[in-house]
Structure formats: structure tokens, C-alpha cells
Amino acid sequence: MMRRLIFTMAFVGGMLASINTINAQSINDLRINEVMLFNTTNYIDNFGQRGAWIEIMNMGYNSVNIANCYLTNDLDEPKKYQIPKGDPLSLIPLRQFVVFFADNKTEHGTLHLNFSLDSTHRFIALISPNGKTIIDSVTIPILALNQVYNRVPDGSDNWTIGKSTTPKATNNVGVAEVTAGERFLRFDPVGIIMAIIAMSVVFIALIVLYRIFKAIGKTNQKAAKRKVEKAERGKEQVAEEEISGEVFAAISTALYLYETEKHDQESSIITIQRVSRLYSPWSSKIYGLRQIPSRMVSHQQKK
């Protein structure tokens, strides 16, 4: 029982650790994907105003909550702007984007930073929630009005300067889309990793099923054993009630009397002798059924 409990706790702990690892890897999937320094005719915010903006992309294949991460334009102050939690805008779906305005107007909402970008401040960094680990950073070259510095294709190490801006959209305009399968094929051309993953999934599933069925079998065996023991205990109680000490005493007493006391020998033969009678009240006409019997009323004295 203790071994099973330890195994279960270890299994659950491993699953939780795996989940935490997956979440940690999801944060590392974030990339600064596109930046604009001088915005005069381009993207506007909800207040109809323009300013420098930063696009962050989730390169992973699960949603990532960017809340509690930090954005800064100065590594001496890595915690310059903490992205607040509890805002649904901080949740980035898979392969999607979020745009922050570097306009120093935090009163306009979560997506407005408390610093700005210009020709002097051209560095941007995304810091993890621990306030120390740099997830991604970039130093932006001098850009003309409404020019962007972006990755082509999305998330790659290839940065370009262009006039074609795509805030909250892919930069892969005119670039052939590479599917996840194709990327995995480049990563694992022989298929060894895929085979290991597939076999691991199968064996883990079999082990889990084995443990489940084994536990069910043991539970059923224990239940059946308890049922048999209960039935046997009931039989023993019945036997003790049928042959009690008093019964044994009565039997012993009877045997003692039988062996010690003398009884008269009584005949067990009954002799029936015929008796001839000439007169029978049943054959007498005097007491026939036609004669009305005399009525006699007798009163009993009260006692």
C-alpha cells in the first residue's frame, strides 16, 4: 500500500513537473517580431493616437500568458514595466501577436508602456517574470518615419528594414509558409526522435493501464476475501448456538440416568379381545332418530 502511494505521488509529481516545464518553455517561445520607432501615418491605438510600437509573437503551439513579464529599454532597469496580470489582453494564442505602444501613457491601458522609444532609446528587451532572465532583446537601427524593423520570416534571426508594416499580423508576406511538420522533419530527418516519442507514449500508456488493472484486481480480491471471511464467521456463530453447553449437559445427564437408574419393564403389547353383545344402542328402535328427545333444562348453581 505504501509503495503504491509513493508510486502515485511520484507519478503525479512528474506530471506536474512536466506541466511546469511546458509552461516555462512556452514563455521562451515569445519573440520581439516587429518594431516601429517613428509612427506618423501608421498603426493607431484605441484613442486614435500614434506612437512607437512593439509587436511580440508567440512562436509556440499553445497559448502563452505574458502577464508578469517585463519590458524595458534599459537593462539597468530590467523591471521597468511589468505587464499586469488579470487582463485577457495579456494572453497570446498560439502563433498570434500582441502590440505594445511605447508612448509613456500607461493610463491608456495594459498595452501602453511607461517609457518611449526614439532615436536615443532604441533598445527593447522582454524579461521573464523573475525579472532577470532575458527572453528576447533587440537593438533597433535608426529608422525613417513609418519604417519597421522586423523578422522575416516570423521569429527568425533575419532582421530587415522595410516600409511594409504588419502589426498584429505575420511578416511572412511573400514568404513560403513552413508547416510544423516540415520544421520537425528538418529537426529530425531520420525519424529517430519521432519513433522514441511514439514508443514512449505507447509504453507509458501500457504501464498506466497495467497499474490500473492491477489495482482493480487487488481491490476485487480483497473484497471477495472479506466477504468469505464474513460468511465463515457467521457459520461459526450458528454452530456455537446449536450445540451449547446446556445441550451437552442435558445429553450427559440423560446418558447418566440411562446407565444408572433402573426402570420397570412395561409391556408394549396391547391385546384387543372381541366382546359379543346381543344388544346395541345403535340397532335399537327405541333410540331411533325419529324419537324426539325429552327436553331437560338444568341450571347450574353459581359458584
Side-chain angles (χ1 to χ4, degrees):
M1 186 66 181
M2 184 59 69
R3 291 178 60 188
R4 187 186 305 171
L5 180 61
I6 292 172
F7 175 80
T8 304
M9 293 177 65
F11 180 75
V12 173
M15 292 296 293
L16 293 175
S18 301
I19 292 172
N20 290 332
T21 302
I22 290 171
N23 288 335
Q25 290 175 349
S26 298
I27 290 291
N28 292 328
D29 287 335
L30 298 175
R31 294 288 183 275
I32 299 171
N33 200 49
E34 190 172 359
V35 182
M36 176 174 281
L37 292 180
F38 309 106
N39 177 11
T40 59
T41 61
N42 199 262
Y43 195 53
I44 60 174
D45 60 15
N46 292 334
F47 297 87
Q49 299 176 359
R50 294 183 173 87
W53 52 266
I54 304 158
E55 179 193 76
I56 296 177
M57 180 181 182
N58 173 17
M59 296 295 296
Y61 290 89
N62 57 340
S63 298
V64 177
N65 196 335
I66 199 173
N68 290 330
C69 291
Y70 298 90
L71 282 166
T72 183
N73 61 350
D74 186 357
L75 283 182
D76 293 333
E77 297 183 60
K79 299 182 179 180
K80 204 164 191 177
Y81 178 77
Q82 184 179 24
I83 301 169
K85 62 181 180 180
D87 191 333
L89 294 174
S90 63
L91 184 64
I92 309 176
L94 67 162
R95 312 290 295 177
Q96 293 300 310
F97 313 84
V98 63
V99 173
F100 289 91
F101 289 92
D103 54 4
N104 200 15
K105 295 178 180 177
T106 55
E107 67 274 13
H108 285 184
T110 300
L111 301 180
H112 293 262
L113 308 179
N114 59 351
F115 58 85
S116 58
L117 297 176
D118 51 35
S119 57
T120 305
H121 302 90
R122 293 179 287 108
F123 175 79
I124 186 74
L126 176 64
I127 311 294
S128 70
N130 62 19
K132 298 178 181 178
T133 306
I134 299 175
I135 300 173
D136 194 18
S137 64
V138 61
T139 299
I140 307 148
I142 295 293
L143 299 175
L145 295 177
N146 302 310
Q147 276 190 333
V148 289
Y149 190 54
N150 57 5
R151 297 176 189 262
V152 180
D154 292 325
S156 68
D157 295 330
N158 182 38
W159 285 90
T160 64
I161 299 175
K163 275 282 188 180
S164 176
T165 64
T166 57
K168 300 180 75 173
T170 179
N171 300 338
N172 301 342
V173 179
V175 178
E177 183 73 16
V178 180
T179 65
E182 291 172 342
R183 282 194 294 273
F184 191 83
L185 183 61
R186 293 176 185 175
F187 178 72
D188 182 29
V190 181
I192 295 176
I193 296 177
M194 177 61 75
I196 293 174
I197 293 173
M199 288 189 292
S200 300
V201 171
V202 172
F203 281 114
I204 290 173
L206 291 175
I207 291 172
V208 171
L209 289 174
Y210 168 75
R211 300 294 300 183
I212 291 173
F213 284 115
K214 187 176 181 181
I216 293 173
K218 286 186 176 180
T219 303
N220 291 335
Q221 289 178 356
K222 288 183 178 180
K225 186 177 180 181
R226 286 195 297 270
K227 188 175 181 181
V228 171
E229 291 177 352
K230 186 177 180 180
E232 290 180 351
R233 284 198 298 270
K235 290 181 179 178
E236 291 176 357
Q237 291 175 359
V238 170
E240 290 177 358
E241 291 177 359
E242 290 178 352
I243 307 175
S244 62
E246 295 176 353
V247 173
F248 280 117
I251 294 172
S252 301
T253 304
L255 292 173
Y256 176 77
L257 293 175
Y258 177 77
E259 294 293 337
T260 57
E261 293 185 1
K262 294 181 179 179
H263 296 271
D264 296 335
Q265 295 295 327
E266 297 178 356
S267 176
S268 59
I269 300 173
I270 299 174
T271 303
I272 301 175
Q273 295 181 352
R274 180 180 296 274
V275 178
S276 61
R277 294 181 184 274
L278 299 177
Y279 169 77
S280 175
W282 296 101
S283 61
S284 178
K285 294 182 180 179
I286 300 173
Y287 302 102
L289 296 177
R290 293 180 180 178
Q291 185 175 356
I292 299 173
S294 60
R295 294 182 178 178
M296 295 179 66
V297 178
S298 62
H299 298 279
Q300 294 181 354
Q301 294 181 356
K302 294 184 179 180
K303 293 181 180 179

